[in-house]
Amino acid sequence: FNYEAQFEAQIAGDDNIDKLLSCLNEHQQFLIRKCLLEGWSYTDLAKLEVKDESAIRHAVDRAKKKLKKVSK
């Protein structure tokens, strides 16, 4: 298990997920819910949002970075 995987597992298993996600804007919450909680791929989200996969990946990474900061 690397640190990233541990962090994602922590978020997915957190009973206070709504409270934790409240530090994110609505779009970031949507992305985190889809990727980490529901298991959507970046490719599927990119198709849904009609965006480049790398844009989705960067947006998710920024949201995860913000969550890490708040969860410390």
Short mmCIF file of all heavy atoms in Angstrom, two decimals:
data_model
loop_
_atom_site.label_atom_id
_atom_site.label_comp_id
_atom_site.label_asym_id
_atom_site.label_seq_id
_atom_site.Cartn_x
_atom_site.Cartn_y
_atom_site.Cartn_z
N PHE A 1 0.84 -1.20 0.00
CA PHE A 1 0.00 0.00 0.00
C PHE A 1 0.87 1.24 0.00
O PHE A 1 1.71 1.41 0.88
CB PHE A 1 -0.85 0.01 1.26
CG PHE A 1 -2.32 -0.07 1.03
CD1 PHE A 1 -2.85 -0.31 -0.21
CD2 PHE A 1 -3.19 0.11 2.08
CE1 PHE A 1 -4.20 -0.38 -0.39
CE2 PHE A 1 -4.55 0.04 1.91
CZ PHE A 1 -5.06 -0.22 0.66
N ASN A 2 0.68 2.09 -0.96
CA ASN A 2 1.40 3.35 -0.92
C ASN A 2 0.56 4.40 -0.21
O ASN A 2 -0.61 4.17 0.11
CB ASN A 2 1.82 3.79 -2.32
CG ASN A 2 0.64 4.07 -3.23
OD1 ASN A 2 -0.44 4.41 -2.78
ND2 ASN A 2 0.85 3.93 -4.52
N TYR A 3 1.14 5.56 0.05
CA TYR A 3 0.44 6.61 0.78
C TYR A 3 -0.83 7.05 0.07
O TYR A 3 -1.86 7.26 0.70
CB TYR A 3 1.37 7.80 1.00
CG TYR A 3 0.69 8.94 1.70
CD1 TYR A 3 0.41 8.86 3.07
CD2 TYR A 3 0.28 10.07 1.01
CE1 TYR A 3 -0.25 9.89 3.72
CE2 TYR A 3 -0.38 11.10 1.66
CZ TYR A 3 -0.63 11.01 3.02
OH TYR A 3 -1.29 12.01 3.67
N GLU A 4 -0.77 7.17 -1.25
CA GLU A 4 -1.94 7.60 -2.03
C GLU A 4 -3.10 6.62 -1.87
O GLU A 4 -4.24 7.01 -1.65
CB GLU A 4 -1.55 7.73 -3.51
CG GLU A 4 -2.60 8.37 -4.36
CD GLU A 4 -2.73 9.87 -4.15
OE1 GLU A 4 -1.80 10.50 -3.65
OE2 GLU A 4 -3.80 10.40 -4.51
N ALA A 5 -2.81 5.35 -1.96
CA ALA A 5 -3.84 4.33 -1.81
C ALA A 5 -4.42 4.33 -0.40
O ALA A 5 -5.63 4.16 -0.21
CB ALA A 5 -3.29 2.95 -2.16
N GLN A 6 -3.57 4.52 0.60
CA GLN A 6 -4.04 4.59 1.98
C GLN A 6 -4.97 5.78 2.18
O GLN A 6 -6.01 5.67 2.82
CB GLN A 6 -2.86 4.70 2.95
CG GLN A 6 -2.10 3.44 3.12
CD GLN A 6 -0.88 3.63 4.01
OE1 GLN A 6 -0.31 4.70 4.07
NE2 GLN A 6 -0.51 2.57 4.71
N PHE A 7 -4.59 6.91 1.59
CA PHE A 7 -5.42 8.11 1.72
C PHE A 7 -6.77 7.91 1.05
O PHE A 7 -7.81 8.25 1.61
CB PHE A 7 -4.70 9.32 1.11
CG PHE A 7 -5.51 10.58 1.15
CD1 PHE A 7 -5.72 11.24 2.36
CD2 PHE A 7 -6.08 11.10 0.01
CE1 PHE A 7 -6.48 12.39 2.41
CE2 PHE A 7 -6.84 12.25 0.05
CZ PHE A 7 -7.05 12.90 1.26
N GLU A 8 -6.78 7.34 -0.14
CA GLU A 8 -8.04 7.09 -0.85
C GLU A 8 -8.92 6.12 -0.07
O GLU A 8 -10.13 6.30 0.01
CB GLU A 8 -7.75 6.57 -2.26
CG GLU A 8 -7.17 7.65 -3.16
CD GLU A 8 -6.86 7.16 -4.55
OE1 GLU A 8 -7.29 6.05 -4.92
OE2 GLU A 8 -6.19 7.91 -5.28
N ALA A 9 -8.31 5.10 0.53
CA ALA A 9 -9.08 4.15 1.34
C ALA A 9 -9.65 4.84 2.58
O ALA A 9 -10.78 4.56 2.98
CB ALA A 9 -8.20 2.98 1.75
N GLN A 10 -8.88 5.74 3.16
CA GLN A 10 -9.35 6.49 4.32
C GLN A 10 -10.57 7.33 3.96
O GLN A 10 -11.56 7.35 4.69
CB GLN A 10 -8.24 7.40 4.84
CG GLN A 10 -8.66 8.30 5.98
CD GLN A 10 -7.60 9.34 6.31
OE1 GLN A 10 -6.48 9.28 5.83
NE2 GLN A 10 -7.97 10.31 7.12
N ILE A 11 -10.51 8.01 2.84
CA ILE A 11 -11.64 8.85 2.41
C ILE A 11 -12.87 7.97 2.16
O ILE A 11 -13.96 8.27 2.60
CB ILE A 11 -11.28 9.64 1.14
CG1 ILE A 11 -10.26 10.72 1.49
CG2 ILE A 11 -12.53 10.28 0.53
CD1 ILE A 11 -9.73 11.46 0.28
N ALA A 12 -12.67 6.90 1.43
CA ALA A 12 -13.79 6.02 1.08
C ALA A 12 -14.44 5.40 2.31
O ALA A 12 -15.64 5.16 2.32
CB ALA A 12 -13.32 4.93 0.12
N GLY A 13 -13.66 5.16 3.35
CA GLY A 13 -14.19 4.54 4.54
C GLY A 13 -14.61 5.51 5.62
O GLY A 13 -15.05 5.10 6.69
N ASP A 14 -14.49 6.78 5.36
CA ASP A 14 -14.80 7.80 6.38
C ASP A 14 -16.31 7.97 6.52
O ASP A 14 -17.01 8.25 5.56
CB ASP A 14 -14.15 9.13 5.99
CG ASP A 14 -14.11 10.12 7.14
OD1 ASP A 14 -15.03 10.11 7.99
OD2 ASP A 14 -13.16 10.91 7.19
N ASP A 15 -16.80 7.80 7.73
CA ASP A 15 -18.23 7.97 7.99
C ASP A 15 -18.66 9.43 7.87
O ASP A 15 -19.84 9.72 7.68
CB ASP A 15 -18.59 7.45 9.39
CG ASP A 15 -18.47 5.94 9.49
OD1 ASP A 15 -18.57 5.26 8.44
OD2 ASP A 15 -18.27 5.44 10.61
N ASN A 16 -17.73 10.34 8.02
CA ASN A 16 -18.02 11.77 7.94
C ASN A 16 -17.64 12.32 6.57
O ASN A 16 -17.15 13.44 6.47
CB ASN A 16 -17.26 12.53 9.04
CG ASN A 16 -17.68 12.09 10.42
OD1 ASN A 16 -18.86 11.97 10.69
ND2 ASN A 16 -16.72 11.85 11.28
N ILE A 17 -17.87 11.54 5.54
CA ILE A 17 -17.45 11.92 4.19
C ILE A 17 -18.04 13.25 3.76
O ILE A 17 -17.37 14.07 3.15
CB ILE A 17 -17.74 10.80 3.16
CG1 ILE A 17 -17.07 11.10 1.83
CG2 ILE A 17 -19.23 10.59 2.98
CD1 ILE A 17 -15.58 10.98 1.86
N ASP A 18 -19.31 13.50 4.09
CA ASP A 18 -19.93 14.76 3.68
C ASP A 18 -19.24 15.95 4.34
O ASP A 18 -19.01 16.97 3.71
CB ASP A 18 -21.42 14.78 4.02
CG ASP A 18 -22.20 13.80 3.15
OD1 ASP A 18 -21.81 13.59 1.99
OD2 ASP A 18 -23.20 13.25 3.65
N LYS A 19 -18.90 15.78 5.61
CA LYS A 19 -18.19 16.85 6.32
C LYS A 19 -16.81 17.06 5.71
O LYS A 19 -16.38 18.20 5.51
CB LYS A 19 -18.07 16.49 7.80
CG LYS A 19 -17.43 17.56 8.65
CD LYS A 19 -17.39 17.14 10.10
CE LYS A 19 -16.70 18.21 10.94
NZ LYS A 19 -16.59 17.80 12.35
N LEU A 20 -16.11 15.98 5.40
CA LEU A 20 -14.80 16.07 4.81
C LEU A 20 -14.84 16.74 3.44
O LEU A 20 -14.02 17.61 3.13
CB LEU A 20 -14.19 14.66 4.68
CG LEU A 20 -12.77 14.55 4.17
CD1 LEU A 20 -11.80 15.28 5.09
CD2 LEU A 20 -12.37 13.10 4.04
N LEU A 21 -15.83 16.38 2.63
CA LEU A 21 -15.93 16.94 1.28
C LEU A 21 -16.43 18.38 1.27
O LEU A 21 -16.32 19.06 0.25
CB LEU A 21 -16.85 16.07 0.42
CG LEU A 21 -16.36 14.67 0.10
CD1 LEU A 21 -17.36 13.95 -0.79
CD2 LEU A 21 -14.99 14.68 -0.55
N SER A 22 -16.95 18.85 2.38
CA SER A 22 -17.51 20.21 2.41
C SER A 22 -16.46 21.29 2.16
O SER A 22 -16.81 22.41 1.81
CB SER A 22 -18.22 20.46 3.74
OG SER A 22 -17.28 20.53 4.80
N CYS A 23 -15.18 20.95 2.29
CA CYS A 23 -14.13 21.93 2.00
C CYS A 23 -13.91 22.11 0.50
O CYS A 23 -13.22 23.03 0.08
CB CYS A 23 -12.82 21.53 2.68
SG CYS A 23 -12.02 20.10 1.92
N LEU A 24 -14.51 21.23 -0.30
CA LEU A 24 -14.34 21.28 -1.75
C LEU A 24 -15.52 21.99 -2.40
O LEU A 24 -16.62 22.01 -1.86
CB LEU A 24 -14.27 19.85 -2.32
CG LEU A 24 -13.17 18.95 -1.77
CD1 LEU A 24 -13.32 17.55 -2.37
CD2 LEU A 24 -11.79 19.51 -2.05
N ASN A 25 -15.27 22.54 -3.59
CA ASN A 25 -16.40 23.13 -4.32
C ASN A 25 -17.25 21.98 -4.90
O ASN A 25 -16.87 20.81 -4.84
CB ASN A 25 -15.92 24.11 -5.40
CG ASN A 25 -15.16 23.45 -6.53
OD1 ASN A 25 -15.51 22.38 -7.01
ND2 ASN A 25 -14.10 24.10 -6.98
N GLU A 26 -18.38 22.33 -5.43
CA GLU A 26 -19.35 21.33 -5.89
C GLU A 26 -18.78 20.39 -6.95
O GLU A 26 -18.99 19.18 -6.91
CB GLU A 26 -20.59 22.06 -6.44
CG GLU A 26 -21.80 21.18 -6.57
CD GLU A 26 -23.04 21.97 -6.94
OE1 GLU A 26 -23.38 22.93 -6.23
OE2 GLU A 26 -23.67 21.61 -7.95
N HIS A 27 -18.03 20.93 -7.88
CA HIS A 27 -17.45 20.11 -8.95
C HIS A 27 -16.39 19.16 -8.39
O HIS A 27 -16.35 17.98 -8.77
CB HIS A 27 -16.86 20.99 -10.05
CG HIS A 27 -16.39 20.22 -11.22
ND1 HIS A 27 -15.07 20.10 -11.56
CD2 HIS A 27 -17.08 19.46 -12.13
CE1 HIS A 27 -14.95 19.34 -12.63
NE2 HIS A 27 -16.15 18.94 -12.99
N GLN A 28 -15.57 19.64 -7.47
CA GLN A 28 -14.56 18.79 -6.86
C GLN A 28 -15.22 17.66 -6.07
O GLN A 28 -14.76 16.52 -6.11
CB GLN A 28 -13.63 19.60 -5.95
CG GLN A 28 -12.70 20.52 -6.71
CD GLN A 28 -11.90 21.41 -5.78
OE1 GLN A 28 -12.44 21.94 -4.80
NE2 GLN A 28 -10.64 21.61 -6.09
N GLN A 29 -16.29 17.97 -5.37
CA GLN A 29 -17.02 16.94 -4.63
C GLN A 29 -17.54 15.87 -5.58
O GLN A 29 -17.44 14.67 -5.30
CB GLN A 29 -18.19 17.56 -3.86
CG GLN A 29 -17.77 18.40 -2.68
CD GLN A 29 -18.96 18.97 -1.94
OE1 GLN A 29 -20.02 18.37 -1.88
NE2 GLN A 29 -18.78 20.15 -1.36
N PHE A 30 -18.10 16.31 -6.69
CA PHE A 30 -18.61 15.38 -7.70
C PHE A 30 -17.50 14.45 -8.19
O PHE A 30 -17.68 13.23 -8.24
CB PHE A 30 -19.21 16.18 -8.87
CG PHE A 30 -19.57 15.34 -10.06
CD1 PHE A 30 -20.73 14.59 -10.07
CD2 PHE A 30 -18.73 15.29 -11.17
CE1 PHE A 30 -21.07 13.82 -11.17
CE2 PHE A 30 -19.05 14.51 -12.27
CZ PHE A 30 -20.22 13.78 -12.27
N LEU A 31 -16.35 15.03 -8.52
CA LEU A 31 -15.24 14.23 -9.04
C LEU A 31 -14.73 13.23 -8.01
O LEU A 31 -14.49 12.06 -8.34
CB LEU A 31 -14.10 15.14 -9.48
CG LEU A 31 -14.38 16.03 -10.69
CD1 LEU A 31 -13.21 16.98 -10.94
CD2 LEU A 31 -14.65 15.20 -11.94
N ILE A 32 -14.58 13.66 -6.77
CA ILE A 32 -14.11 12.77 -5.71
C ILE A 32 -15.11 11.65 -5.47
O ILE A 32 -14.75 10.48 -5.33
CB ILE A 32 -13.82 13.55 -4.41
CG1 ILE A 32 -12.61 14.46 -4.59
CG2 ILE A 32 -13.62 12.60 -3.23
CD1 ILE A 32 -11.29 13.75 -4.85
N ARG A 33 -16.39 11.99 -5.44
CA ARG A 33 -17.41 10.95 -5.25
C ARG A 33 -17.36 9.92 -6.37
O ARG A 33 -17.42 8.71 -6.12
CB ARG A 33 -18.80 11.57 -5.17
CG ARG A 33 -19.08 12.28 -3.86
CD ARG A 33 -20.52 12.78 -3.80
NE ARG A 33 -20.72 13.63 -2.66
CZ ARG A 33 -20.89 13.20 -1.41
NH1 ARG A 33 -20.87 11.92 -1.15
NH2 ARG A 33 -21.07 14.06 -0.43
N LYS A 34 -17.26 10.39 -7.60
CA LYS A 34 -17.25 9.47 -8.73
C LYS A 34 -15.99 8.61 -8.76
O LYS A 34 -16.05 7.40 -8.95
CB LYS A 34 -17.40 10.23 -10.06
CG LYS A 34 -18.75 10.88 -10.25
CD LYS A 34 -19.85 9.86 -10.27
CE LYS A 34 -21.21 10.47 -10.44
NZ LYS A 34 -22.29 9.53 -10.16
N CYS A 35 -14.82 9.25 -8.59
CA CYS A 35 -13.55 8.51 -8.69
C CYS A 35 -13.26 7.63 -7.49
O CYS A 35 -12.95 6.45 -7.65
CB CYS A 35 -12.39 9.49 -8.88
SG CYS A 35 -12.31 10.19 -10.51
N LEU A 36 -13.32 8.20 -6.31
CA LEU A 36 -12.89 7.46 -5.13
C LEU A 36 -13.98 6.62 -4.50
O LEU A 36 -13.72 5.54 -3.97
CB LEU A 36 -12.33 8.42 -4.08
CG LEU A 36 -11.12 9.25 -4.49
CD1 LEU A 36 -10.61 10.06 -3.32
CD2 LEU A 36 -10.03 8.37 -5.05
N LEU A 37 -15.21 7.11 -4.53
CA LEU A 37 -16.27 6.38 -3.85
C LEU A 37 -17.02 5.42 -4.77
O LEU A 37 -17.47 4.36 -4.34
CB LEU A 37 -17.25 7.37 -3.20
CG LEU A 37 -16.62 8.35 -2.21
CD1 LEU A 37 -17.66 9.30 -1.66
CD2 LEU A 37 -15.91 7.61 -1.09
N GLU A 38 -17.18 5.81 -6.04
CA GLU A 38 -17.94 4.97 -6.96
C GLU A 38 -17.07 4.21 -7.97
O GLU A 38 -17.58 3.40 -8.72
CB GLU A 38 -18.97 5.84 -7.69
CG GLU A 38 -19.99 6.46 -6.75
CD GLU A 38 -20.97 7.38 -7.46
OE1 GLU A 38 -21.16 7.25 -8.69
OE2 GLU A 38 -21.56 8.24 -6.77
N GLY A 39 -15.78 4.53 -7.99
CA GLY A 39 -14.86 3.78 -8.84
C GLY A 39 -14.85 4.14 -10.32
O GLY A 39 -14.38 3.35 -11.14
N TRP A 40 -15.35 5.31 -10.68
CA TRP A 40 -15.32 5.73 -12.08
C TRP A 40 -13.88 5.96 -12.52
O TRP A 40 -13.04 6.40 -11.74
CB TRP A 40 -16.09 7.02 -12.26
CG TRP A 40 -17.58 6.90 -12.25
CD1 TRP A 40 -18.34 6.20 -11.37
CD2 TRP A 40 -18.49 7.53 -13.14
NE1 TRP A 40 -19.67 6.36 -11.66
CE2 TRP A 40 -19.79 7.17 -12.75
CE3 TRP A 40 -18.34 8.37 -14.22
CZ2 TRP A 40 -20.92 7.62 -13.41
CZ3 TRP A 40 -19.47 8.82 -14.89
CH2 TRP A 40 -20.74 8.44 -14.49
N SER A 41 -13.62 5.71 -13.78
CA SER A 41 -12.29 5.98 -14.33
C SER A 41 -12.22 7.43 -14.83
O SER A 41 -13.25 8.06 -15.08
CB SER A 41 -11.99 5.03 -15.50
OG SER A 41 -12.83 5.37 -16.61
N TYR A 42 -11.00 7.93 -14.96
CA TYR A 42 -10.81 9.27 -15.52
C TYR A 42 -11.38 9.33 -16.93
O TYR A 42 -11.96 10.33 -17.34
CB TYR A 42 -9.33 9.65 -15.55
CG TYR A 42 -8.70 9.79 -14.19
CD1 TYR A 42 -7.43 9.27 -13.94
CD2 TYR A 42 -9.34 10.44 -13.15
CE1 TYR A 42 -6.83 9.41 -12.70
CE2 TYR A 42 -8.74 10.58 -11.90
CZ TYR A 42 -7.49 10.06 -11.69
OH TYR A 42 -6.89 10.20 -10.47
N THR A 43 -11.23 8.24 -17.66
CA THR A 43 -11.73 8.18 -19.04
C THR A 43 -13.24 8.34 -19.08
O THR A 43 -13.77 9.12 -19.88
CB THR A 43 -11.34 6.83 -19.69
OG1 THR A 43 -9.92 6.68 -19.61
CG2 THR A 43 -11.80 6.76 -21.13
N ASP A 44 -13.94 7.64 -18.20
CA ASP A 44 -15.40 7.73 -18.17
C ASP A 44 -15.87 9.12 -17.76
O ASP A 44 -16.83 9.65 -18.32
CB ASP A 44 -15.99 6.68 -17.22
CG ASP A 44 -15.84 5.27 -17.74
OD1 ASP A 44 -15.66 5.09 -18.97
OD2 ASP A 44 -15.88 4.33 -16.93
N LEU A 45 -15.18 9.71 -16.78
CA LEU A 45 -15.55 11.06 -16.37
C LEU A 45 -15.27 12.08 -17.47
O LEU A 45 -16.05 13.01 -17.66
CB LEU A 45 -14.78 11.46 -15.10
CG LEU A 45 -15.43 11.03 -13.80
CD1 LEU A 45 -14.51 11.29 -12.62
CD2 LEU A 45 -16.74 11.73 -13.58
N ALA A 46 -14.17 11.89 -18.18
CA ALA A 46 -13.84 12.79 -19.29
C ALA A 46 -14.92 12.74 -20.37
O ALA A 46 -15.33 13.77 -20.90
CB ALA A 46 -12.48 12.43 -19.87
N LYS A 47 -15.39 11.54 -20.65
CA LYS A 47 -16.47 11.39 -21.64
C LYS A 47 -17.74 12.06 -21.15
O LYS A 47 -18.42 12.76 -21.91
CB LYS A 47 -16.74 9.91 -21.92
CG LYS A 47 -15.66 9.24 -22.72
CD LYS A 47 -15.95 7.75 -22.88
CE LYS A 47 -14.80 7.05 -23.58
NZ LYS A 47 -15.00 5.59 -23.63
N LEU A 48 -18.07 11.87 -19.88
CA LEU A 48 -19.27 12.46 -19.31
C LEU A 48 -19.22 13.99 -19.37
O LEU A 48 -20.21 14.63 -19.70
CB LEU A 48 -19.44 12.00 -17.85
CG LEU A 48 -20.61 12.60 -17.09
CD1 LEU A 48 -21.93 12.04 -17.62
CD2 LEU A 48 -20.48 12.34 -15.61
N GLU A 49 -18.07 14.55 -19.06
CA GLU A 49 -17.93 16.00 -19.00
C GLU A 49 -17.45 16.61 -20.30
O GLU A 49 -17.27 17.83 -20.39
CB GLU A 49 -16.99 16.38 -17.85
CG GLU A 49 -17.54 15.98 -16.52
CD GLU A 49 -16.99 16.79 -15.38
OE1 GLU A 49 -16.05 17.57 -15.58
OE2 GLU A 49 -17.54 16.65 -14.28
N VAL A 50 -17.22 15.78 -21.30
CA VAL A 50 -16.71 16.22 -22.60
C VAL A 50 -15.45 17.07 -22.40
O VAL A 50 -15.35 18.21 -22.85
CB VAL A 50 -17.78 16.99 -23.42
CG1 VAL A 50 -17.31 17.19 -24.85
CG2 VAL A 50 -19.12 16.28 -23.39
N LYS A 51 -14.52 16.47 -21.67
CA LYS A 51 -13.23 17.11 -21.39
C LYS A 51 -12.12 16.11 -21.64
O LYS A 51 -12.36 14.91 -21.75
CB LYS A 51 -13.16 17.59 -19.93
CG LYS A 51 -14.08 18.73 -19.62
CD LYS A 51 -13.87 19.20 -18.21
CE LYS A 51 -14.78 20.38 -17.91
NZ LYS A 51 -14.67 20.81 -16.52
N ASP A 52 -10.91 16.63 -21.71
CA ASP A 52 -9.75 15.80 -21.88
C ASP A 52 -9.49 15.01 -20.60
O ASP A 52 -9.68 15.53 -19.49
CB ASP A 52 -8.54 16.68 -22.22
CG ASP A 52 -7.34 15.87 -22.60
OD1 ASP A 52 -7.41 15.18 -23.63
OD2 ASP A 52 -6.34 15.92 -21.85
N GLU A 53 -9.06 13.78 -20.75
CA GLU A 53 -8.80 12.94 -19.59
C GLU A 53 -7.77 13.56 -18.64
O GLU A 53 -7.89 13.48 -17.42
CB GLU A 53 -8.31 11.56 -20.05
CG GLU A 53 -8.14 10.57 -18.93
CD GLU A 53 -7.71 9.19 -19.42
OE1 GLU A 53 -8.02 8.84 -20.58
OE2 GLU A 53 -7.09 8.48 -18.63
N SER A 54 -6.76 14.21 -19.20
CA SER A 54 -5.74 14.83 -18.35
C SER A 54 -6.32 15.97 -17.52
O SER A 54 -5.89 16.21 -16.39
CB SER A 54 -4.54 15.31 -19.18
OG SER A 54 -4.92 16.36 -20.04
N ALA A 55 -7.30 16.68 -18.06
CA ALA A 55 -7.95 17.77 -17.31
C ALA A 55 -8.70 17.20 -16.10
O ALA A 55 -8.66 17.77 -15.01
CB ALA A 55 -8.91 18.54 -18.21
N ILE A 56 -9.34 16.06 -16.29
CA ILE A 56 -10.05 15.40 -15.20
C ILE A 56 -9.05 14.92 -14.15
O ILE A 56 -9.24 15.12 -12.96
CB ILE A 56 -10.91 14.22 -15.72
CG1 ILE A 56 -11.99 14.72 -16.70
CG2 ILE A 56 -11.51 13.44 -14.57
CD1 ILE A 56 -13.00 15.65 -16.09
N ARG A 57 -7.97 14.29 -14.62
CA ARG A 57 -6.95 13.79 -13.71
C ARG A 57 -6.38 14.91 -12.85
O ARG A 57 -6.25 14.78 -11.63
CB ARG A 57 -5.83 13.10 -14.48
CG ARG A 57 -4.85 12.38 -13.59
CD ARG A 57 -3.74 11.62 -14.33
NE ARG A 57 -4.11 11.06 -15.61
CZ ARG A 57 -3.78 11.60 -16.80
NH1 ARG A 57 -3.10 12.72 -16.85
NH2 ARG A 57 -4.15 11.02 -17.92
N HIS A 58 -6.09 16.05 -13.47
CA HIS A 58 -5.54 17.19 -12.73
C HIS A 58 -6.55 17.75 -11.74
O HIS A 58 -6.20 18.11 -10.62
CB HIS A 58 -5.06 18.28 -13.69
CG HIS A 58 -3.84 17.89 -14.46
ND1 HIS A 58 -2.63 17.62 -13.87
CD2 HIS A 58 -3.65 17.71 -15.78
CE1 HIS A 58 -1.75 17.29 -14.80
NE2 HIS A 58 -2.34 17.34 -15.96
N ALA A 59 -7.80 17.81 -12.14
CA ALA A 59 -8.85 18.33 -11.25
C ALA A 59 -9.02 17.42 -10.04
O ALA A 59 -9.16 17.89 -8.91
CB ALA A 59 -10.17 18.46 -12.01
N VAL A 60 -8.98 16.11 -10.26
CA VAL A 60 -9.09 15.16 -9.15
C VAL A 60 -7.87 15.27 -8.25
O VAL A 60 -7.99 15.27 -7.01
CB VAL A 60 -9.27 13.71 -9.67
CG1 VAL A 60 -9.15 12.69 -8.54
CG2 VAL A 60 -10.61 13.56 -10.38
N ASP A 61 -6.70 15.40 -8.85
CA ASP A 61 -5.47 15.53 -8.05
C ASP A 61 -5.51 16.79 -7.18
O ASP A 61 -5.10 16.76 -6.02
CB ASP A 61 -4.24 15.55 -8.95
CG ASP A 61 -3.91 14.19 -9.53
OD1 ASP A 61 -4.43 13.18 -9.01
OD2 ASP A 61 -3.13 14.14 -10.50
N ARG A 62 -6.00 17.89 -7.73
CA ARG A 62 -6.12 19.12 -6.95
C ARG A 62 -7.10 18.94 -5.79
O ARG A 62 -6.85 19.39 -4.67
CB ARG A 62 -6.56 20.30 -7.83
CG ARG A 62 -5.46 20.86 -8.71
CD ARG A 62 -5.88 22.15 -9.38
NE ARG A 62 -7.04 22.03 -10.23
CZ ARG A 62 -7.01 21.67 -11.51
NH1 ARG A 62 -5.86 21.41 -12.10
NH2 ARG A 62 -8.12 21.59 -12.21
N ALA A 63 -8.20 18.26 -6.04
CA ALA A 63 -9.19 18.01 -4.99
C ALA A 63 -8.60 17.12 -3.91
O ALA A 63 -8.78 17.37 -2.71
CB ALA A 63 -10.45 17.39 -5.58
N LYS A 64 -7.86 16.07 -4.31
CA LYS A 64 -7.25 15.18 -3.33
C LYS A 64 -6.20 15.92 -2.50
O LYS A 64 -6.11 15.72 -1.29
CB LYS A 64 -6.61 13.98 -4.02
CG LYS A 64 -7.63 12.98 -4.51
CD LYS A 64 -7.03 11.62 -4.85
CE LYS A 64 -6.24 11.62 -6.10
NZ LYS A 64 -5.87 10.25 -6.56
N LYS A 65 -5.47 16.79 -3.14
CA LYS A 65 -4.45 17.59 -2.43
C LYS A 65 -5.11 18.46 -1.37
O LYS A 65 -4.64 18.57 -0.24
CB LYS A 65 -3.68 18.44 -3.43
CG LYS A 65 -2.50 19.17 -2.84
CD LYS A 65 -1.72 19.89 -3.92
CE LYS A 65 -0.52 20.61 -3.33
NZ LYS A 65 0.27 21.28 -4.36
N LYS A 66 -6.23 19.06 -1.73
CA LYS A 66 -6.96 19.91 -0.79
C LYS A 66 -7.50 19.07 0.37
O LYS A 66 -7.43 19.48 1.53
CB LYS A 66 -8.10 20.62 -1.51
CG LYS A 66 -8.73 21.74 -0.74
CD LYS A 66 -9.69 22.53 -1.62
CE LYS A 66 -10.23 23.73 -0.88
NZ LYS A 66 -11.12 24.52 -1.74
N LEU A 67 -8.01 17.89 0.07
CA LEU A 67 -8.52 17.00 1.12
C LEU A 67 -7.40 16.57 2.07
O LEU A 67 -7.61 16.49 3.28
CB LEU A 67 -9.17 15.76 0.51
CG LEU A 67 -10.56 15.95 -0.08
CD1 LEU A 67 -10.99 14.68 -0.80
CD2 LEU A 67 -11.55 16.35 0.97
N LYS A 68 -6.24 16.28 1.52
CA LYS A 68 -5.10 15.88 2.35
C LYS A 68 -4.75 16.99 3.33
O LYS A 68 -4.47 16.73 4.49
CB LYS A 68 -3.89 15.55 1.48
CG LYS A 68 -3.98 14.23 0.79
CD LYS A 68 -2.76 14.01 -0.08
CE LYS A 68 -2.93 12.82 -0.96
NZ LYS A 68 -1.80 12.62 -1.88
N LYS A 69 -4.76 18.22 2.81
CA LYS A 69 -4.43 19.37 3.64
C LYS A 69 -5.41 19.51 4.81
O LYS A 69 -5.03 19.73 5.95
CB LYS A 69 -4.50 20.65 2.78
CG LYS A 69 -3.37 21.58 2.92
CD LYS A 69 -3.61 22.77 2.02
CE LYS A 69 -2.32 23.46 1.72
NZ LYS A 69 -2.50 24.63 0.90
N VAL A 70 -6.68 19.36 4.51
CA VAL A 70 -7.73 19.55 5.51
C VAL A 70 -7.80 18.38 6.49
O VAL A 70 -8.12 18.57 7.66
CB VAL A 70 -9.11 19.72 4.81
CG1 VAL A 70 -10.23 19.84 5.81
CG2 VAL A 70 -9.08 20.93 3.90
N SER A 71 -7.47 17.18 6.04
CA SER A 71 -7.63 16.00 6.88
C SER A 71 -6.48 15.80 7.86
O SER A 71 -6.54 14.93 8.71
CB SER A 71 -7.79 14.74 6.03
OG SER A 71 -6.59 14.45 5.33
N LYS A 72 -5.45 16.61 7.78
CA LYS A 72 -4.30 16.48 8.71
C LYS A 72 -4.63 16.99 10.08
O LYS A 72 -5.43 17.80 10.33
CB LYS A 72 -3.11 17.22 8.16
CG LYS A 72 -2.47 16.50 6.98
CD LYS A 72 -1.23 17.17 6.54
CE LYS A 72 -0.62 16.42 5.38
NZ LYS A 72 0.59 16.99 4.89
#
